[in-house]
């Protein structure tokens, strides 16, 4: 392959893949995969700190069960706002849309408390006037003839009372929208909704007057919009809160959320354009107000909030939206939560206390209470002050001094209630009753009545005291939770469908989205997302570098380096995100690096496979598969030369094969020999041996090269033993099929030692073979089998290296032809575990006889050798030594004989 062609393959590949990757990103599925990587990074990123002032006021199932079916009467929300004001809540944001008028409702407090009070007062005063008139006539203060004039006056008074009471009854029917608006006004910093609609179909018809008001009064002010600012959302219509409420609100924001294509909420529009007016997101607008922002600058990629003492830069994604830094928690575990039920229970307990106090007032119990502020007056005045505050006006600017006074009076009221139920007042009342009961002149009927009253007093004070204690504890909790809080009110009951998915949770109430948006801005832990173009540029550079690095590496090295690049890119992107909050879209680089690796690896594979195919075709005829593999893995091995290594050589030969071959047709002879050599060769190859060559019926093999084997001696011995076993099976088949006139009996010679192994020959023709004295000794040992009547002979070095797994018979120390160094011979019998007891005993007898033989006890040795033949019939070595013993008895060797026999036959 030319260098010019390699350049095209390796360096143009990243550019082609970049084009392919850009095309892939046109499919939404891939963008979704990149968003999931972003979500994974969010999971790894340390959790964002949660702003302690944020509080989610949940209209949950408990609150709905307390009040009744949702949606509630707006008076319940209004009463809650009054309580929030009392407990010094800083900001209230409604994630509830009041876009249509509600039906008139009944003012239950007015009906249950105010109407009875007014009737008692007016009719009490009228009765007093009538009684006074009759008393004056009776006493003669008014002549009877003048009484008519006074009766006309009483009639006028009666008519006036009637008219006033009728007017009071009319107040029972209340305009709840107006009442909610007045509550907004009383609170002062309550924020409503103005929904942005994508089309001109309005859910509820919005009048032009309301639209104009919203554009003029509710839209964001002090905006500086640069021409390069890309605004993501322009509304075709708006759906604002009804006028009686929004006109008394501090402002309004749009509650619209942004959902990505995979259904997950990761980002938010902070501003939206309707016609020529800009509106803020539901919590963005109140935050701008509470942070004292004087200028909002809308610029490309960011929104800058400027205040006299601070400046906040909010990064925007490529679509002009802010990424939400979500807390990694479930909805109920993220941010502070308070059930709206707490406010409902507060009003319920308070109503019970007021009713009980009114009953006690009628019974005269309050007269016994000793305090600077009479409890009845305090109760009436706080209620009157609340009405005045709610009726104060139609703006979002309450009388804070009057509100503070109301807050103080309320605290004093409940403190006085606690004092009233503290025991002293009850004791005074009971003491007075007991004094009356102690009178001996008290009639029985009255005594019974006072006794019943006494029980009623105790029960009334006990019930009132329990309510006051419960309310006091609840007020302490509410004061702790609400004071200074930025409250977001939303419906979280089981019936709500306002549930979405965020990167951490599959079900997360959407009201929590607004808390997460506010928290992101307040904490200043903003997230940012770089444009995909930066990602692709980084990907091209990385793939170019990767291509340069892996083009000369091996496949394994290429995989490792590519994995390092991929993991390094992923790790680098993660570190960038963790430390700066900036997300570099990762899918592009990961795809490009992976495709580059696969493409370049494919190119290299095709090139290498071509070279390997050439090598296989060239050398498969005369090299073993293992040798070819090593040459393919390292072509330098094609060089001529060898290396010294300790190996084990194996030589085999068939006894009397020339005689057998003379009796067979050449075709049958080849068939017989091929079957024999195949079985024997497979036995060697199964144990990872290398076939050096075949010489007729002989096999030359070795163990320990080219594959390193620390147990090459063991493998060689095991192959020899197995070949003898396979020989028995082959001979049975050969004789049954008439393939051979006689059994094929194999002699084996094995030696372990230092040899030269490598490619021998010329550059045009070479062979992977072994050479050296140790090789020659193995060949000689195969021939020496003839003299001893053995089948497998091995050297002492092989015996020691092979270990105790094999049973071997010790024979002479000999000098073979061409080898001057004497060696001890061993006959390899079998694997130790395969020996039967008879063979073990025969070998022990033989070794005892050999010891006597080497001690020159020829006659005694002969006796034991004969004993061995009884245990090992037709034992060649025993017969060989019997003949030698006879010879040495008649003709002993020289006295200086070293015990080494010189073998003259090959």
């Amino acid at each position: 392959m030319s260098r010019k062609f390699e350049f095209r393959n390796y360096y143009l590949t990243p550019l082609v893949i970049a084009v392919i990757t850009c095309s892939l990103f046109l499919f939404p599925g891939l963008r979704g995969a990149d968003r999931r990587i972003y979500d994974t990074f969010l999971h790894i990123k340390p959790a964002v700190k949660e702003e302690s002032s944020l509080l989610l006021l949940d209209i949950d199932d408990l609150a709905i069960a307390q009040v009744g079916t949702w949606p509630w009467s707006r008076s319940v929300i209004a009463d809650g706002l009054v309580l929030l004001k009392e407990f010094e809540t800083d900001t209230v944001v409604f994630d509830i849309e009041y876009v249509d008028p509600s039906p008139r409702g009944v003012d239950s407090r007015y009906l249950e408390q105010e109407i009875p009070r007014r009737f008692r007062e007016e009719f009490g005063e009228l009765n007093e006037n009538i009684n006074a008139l009759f008393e004056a006539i009776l006493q003669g203060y008014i002549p009877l003839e003048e009484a008519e004039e006074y009766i006309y006056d009483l009639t006028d008074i009666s008519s006036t009372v009637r008219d006033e009471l009728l007017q009071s009854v009319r107040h029972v029917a209340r305009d709840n929208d107006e009442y909610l608006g007045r509550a907004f006004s009383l609170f002062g910093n309550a924020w409503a909704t103005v929904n942005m609609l994508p089309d001109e179909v309005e859910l509820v018809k919005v009048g032009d007057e309301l639209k104009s008001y919203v554009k003029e009064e509710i839209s964001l002010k002090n905006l500086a919009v640069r021409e390069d600012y890309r605004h993501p959302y322009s509304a075709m219509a708006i759906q604002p809160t009804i006028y009686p409420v929004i006109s008394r609100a501090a402002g309004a924001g749009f509650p619209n959320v942004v959902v990505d294509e995979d259904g997950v909420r990761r980002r938010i529009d902070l501003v939206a354009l309707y016609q020529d007016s800009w509106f803020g997101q539901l919590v963005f607008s109140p935050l701008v107000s509470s942070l004292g922002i004087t200028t909002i600058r809308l610029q490309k990629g960011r929104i800058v909030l400027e205040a006299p003492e601070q400046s906040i830069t909010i990064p925007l994604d490529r679509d002009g939206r802010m990424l939400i830094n979500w807390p990694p928690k479930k909805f109920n575990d993220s941010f502070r939560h308070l059930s709206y039920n707490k406010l409902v229970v507060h009003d319920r307990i308070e109503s019970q206390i007021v009713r009980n106090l009114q009953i006690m007032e009628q019974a005269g119990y309050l007269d016994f209470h000793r305090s600077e502020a009479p409890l009845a007056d305090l109760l009436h005045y706080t209620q009157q002050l609340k009405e005045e505050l709610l009726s104060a006006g139609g703006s979002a600017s309450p009388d804070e001094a009057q509100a503070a006074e109301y807050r103080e009076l309320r605290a004093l009221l409940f403190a006085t209630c606690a004092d009233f139920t503290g025991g002293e007042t009850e004791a005074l009342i009971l003491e007075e009753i007991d004094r009356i009961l102690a009178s001996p002149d008290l009639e029985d009927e009255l005594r019974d009545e006072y006794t019943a009253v006494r029980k009623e007093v105790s029960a009334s004070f006990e019930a009132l005291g329990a309510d006051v204690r419960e309310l006091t504890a609840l007020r302490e909790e509410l004061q702790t939770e609400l004071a200074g809080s930025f409250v977001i009110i939303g419906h979280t009951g089981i019936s709500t469908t306002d549930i979405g998915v965020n990167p951490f949770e599959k079900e997360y109430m959407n009201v929590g989205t607004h808390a997460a948006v506010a928290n992101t801005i307040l904490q200043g832990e903003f997230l940012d997302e770089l444009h995909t173009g930066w990602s692709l540029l980084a990907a091209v550079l990385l793939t170019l570098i990767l291509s340069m690095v892996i083009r000369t590496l091996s496949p394994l090295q290429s995989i490792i380096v590519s994995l390092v690049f991929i993991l390094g890119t992923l790790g680098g992107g993660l570190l960038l995100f963790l430390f700066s909050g900036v997300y570099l879209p990762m899918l592009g680089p990961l795809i490009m690096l992976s495709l580059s690796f696969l493409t370049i690896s494919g190119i290299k594979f095709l090139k290498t496979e071509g070279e390997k195919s050439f090598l296989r075709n060239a050398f498969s005829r005369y090299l073993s598969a293992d040798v070819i593999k090593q040459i393919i893995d390292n072509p330098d091995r094609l060089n001529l030369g060898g290396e010294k290594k300790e190996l084990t050589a194996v030589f085999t030969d068939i006894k009397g094969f020339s005689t057998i071959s003379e009796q067979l047709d050449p075709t049958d002879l080849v068939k017989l020999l091929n079957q024999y050599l195949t079985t024997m060769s497979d036995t060697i190859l199964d144990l990872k041996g290398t076939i050096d060559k075949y010489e007729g019926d002989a096999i030359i093999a070795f163990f320990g090269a080219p594959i390193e084997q620390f147990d090459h001696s063991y493998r060689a011995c095991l192959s020899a033993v197995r070949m003898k076993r396979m020989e028995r099976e082959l001979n049975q088949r050969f004789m049954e099929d008439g393939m051979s006139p006689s059994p094929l009996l194999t002699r084996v010679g094995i030696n372990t030692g230092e040899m030269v192994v490598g490619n021998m020959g010329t550059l045009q023709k070479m062979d992977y073979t072994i050479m050296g004295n140790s090789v020659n000794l193995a060949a000689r040992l195969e021939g020496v089998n003839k003299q001893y009547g053995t089948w497998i002979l091995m050297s002492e070095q092989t015996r020691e290296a092979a270990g105790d797994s094999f049973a071997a018979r010790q024979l002479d120390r000999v000098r073979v032809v061409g080898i001057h160094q004497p060696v001890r011979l061993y006959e390899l019998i079998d694997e130790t575990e395969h020996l039967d007891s008879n063979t073990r005993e025969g070998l022990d007898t033989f070794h005892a006889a050999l010891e006597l033989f080497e001690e020159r006890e020829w006659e005694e040795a002969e006796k034991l050798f004969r004993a061995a033949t009884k245990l090992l019939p037709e034992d060649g070595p025993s017969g060989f030594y019997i003949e030698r013993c006879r010879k040495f008895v008649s003709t002993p060797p020289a006295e200086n004989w070293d015990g080494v026999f010189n073998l003259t036959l090959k």
Side-chain angles (χ1 to χ4, degrees), residues 559-574:
I559 291 173
I560 293 173
V561 170
S562 297
L563 284 175
V564 169
F565 263 73
I566 292 171
L567 293 177
T569 301
L570 198 60
L574 177 59

Side-chain angles (χ1 to χ4, degrees), residues 436-437 439-453:
I436 296 171
L437 289 172
S439 173
D441 300 329
L442 188 65
E443 296 179 2
D444 291 342
E445 185 177 350
L446 289 175
R447 185 178 300 278
D448 292 340
E449 291 181 5
Y450 275 105
T451 301
V453 169

Side-chain angles (χ1 to χ4, degrees), residues 332 741 774:
N332 289 329
S774 295

Side-chain angles (χ1 to χ4, degrees), residues 78-130:
D79 291 337
L81 263 180
V82 175
L83 271 180
L84 293 174
K85 181 67 175 180
E86 180 181 345
F87 290 111
E88 303 178 273
T89 304
D90 181 80
T91 304
V92 171
V93 177
F94 280 87
D95 187 25
I96 303 171
E97 299 176 17
Y98 298 113
V99 297
D100 52 353
S102 67
R104 296 175 68 86
V106 174
D107 187 344
S108 58
R109 189 202 63 80
Y110 192 85
L111 177 64
E112 294 173 4
Q113 298 177 22
E114 189 64 22
I115 291 296
R117 184 185 67 81
R118 292 293 301 274
F119 269 75
R120 286 195 303 272
E121 288 181 355
E122 296 297 338
F123 277 101
E125 185 177 346
L126 184 60
N127 287 334
E128 288 179 4
N129 288 331
I130 292 173

Side-chain angles (χ1 to χ4, degrees), residues 787 813-817 819-820 897 900-905:
Q787 301 180 43
R813 293 174 63 241
V814 300
R815 291 187 185 91
V816 298
V817 176
I819 306 296
H820 300 292
W897 176 55
V900 177
F901 291 91
N902 293 314
L903 300 181
T904 57
L905 298 176

Side-chain angles (χ1 to χ4, degrees), residues 109-349:
R109 189 202 63 80
Y110 192 85
L111 177 64
E112 294 173 4
Q113 298 177 22
E114 189 64 22
I115 291 296
R117 184 185 67 81
R118 292 293 301 274
F119 269 75
R120 286 195 303 272
E121 288 181 355
E122 296 297 338
F123 277 101
E125 185 177 346
L126 184 60
N127 287 334
E128 288 179 4
N129 288 331
I130 292 173
N131 290 333
L133 175 61
F134 280 107
E135 182 67 25
I137 294 173
L138 184 62
Q139 295 296 329
Y141 298 129
I142 298 177
L144 189 59
E145 60 274 8
E146 297 179 9
E148 185 178 2
E149 182 180 350
Y150 288 98
I151 292 173
Y152 287 137
D153 290 340
L154 280 175
T155 302
D156 291 339
I157 293 172
S158 178
S159 299
T160 302
V161 169
R162 180 198 61 198
D163 294 340
E164 289 179 354
L165 290 178
L166 285 173
Q167 187 63 32
S168 298
V169 170
R170 292 191 185 98
H171 291 163
V172 172
R174 180 171 57 194
D175 184 340
N176 281 331
D177 294 338
E178 178 67 20
Y179 183 55
L180 179 59
R182 291 178 183 275
F184 265 73
S185 176
L186 169 61
F187 188 85
N189 197 26
W191 297 74
T193 63
V194 53
N195 218 324
M196 299 289 118
L197 302 181
D199 50 51
E200 295 183 357
V201 179
E202 299 169 347
L203 301 177
V204 178
K205 183 63 177 176
V206 181
D208 293 337
E209 184 179 348
L210 179 56
K211 288 181 182 178
S212 299
Y213 175 84
V214 169
K215 289 176 61 178
E216 293 173 7
E217 301 297 334
I218 303 299
S219 62
L220 293 172
K221 306 298 187 294
N222 300 323
L223 262 72
V225 184
R226 269 193 359 196
E227 292 182 359
D228 60 357
Y229 173 69
R230 178 181 180 181
H231 57 87
Y233 189 62
S234 294
M236 298 300 294
I238 58 173
Q239 193 79 68
T241 298
I242 56 175
Y243 182 79
V245 176
I246 200 169
S247 61
R248 273 74 168 261
F254 58 86
N256 306 58
V257 296
V258 177
V259 181
D260 286 340
E261 293 169 343
D262 58 355
V264 180
R265 290 169 292 139
R266 299 182 179 88
R267 61 202 83 232
I268 198 77
D269 291 320
L270 291 181
V271 294
L273 182 65
Y274 171 63
Q275 295 181 357
D276 57 350
S277 298
W278 291 90
F279 293 87
Q281 194 269 344
L282 187 64
V283 295
F284 181 71
S285 293
L287 283 176
V288 166
S289 175
S290 63
L291 293 173
I293 302 302
T294 55
T295 304
I296 304 172
R297 298 191 183 277
L298 305 183
Q299 302 172 2
K300 182 180 180 181
R302 62 184 180 272
I303 294 177
V304 181
L305 307 179
E306 295 180 354
E309 297 183 0
Q310 65 174 332
S311 177
I312 301 174
T313 299
I314 302 174
L316 305 176
D317 68 5
R318 59 176 176 266
D319 294 322
R321 295 176 170 127
M322 183 189 81
L323 289 169
I324 303 172
N325 198 346
W326 290 95
K329 301 176 182 177
K330 296 181 181 297
F331 172 74
N332 289 329
D333 297 329
S334 56
F335 307 110
R336 293 190 299 127
H337 287 260
L338 183 70
S339 173
Y340 204 98
N341 183 58
K342 299 283 187 180
L343 304 183
V344 175
V345 169
H346 182 286
D347 277 353
R348 178 180 58 77
I349 298 174

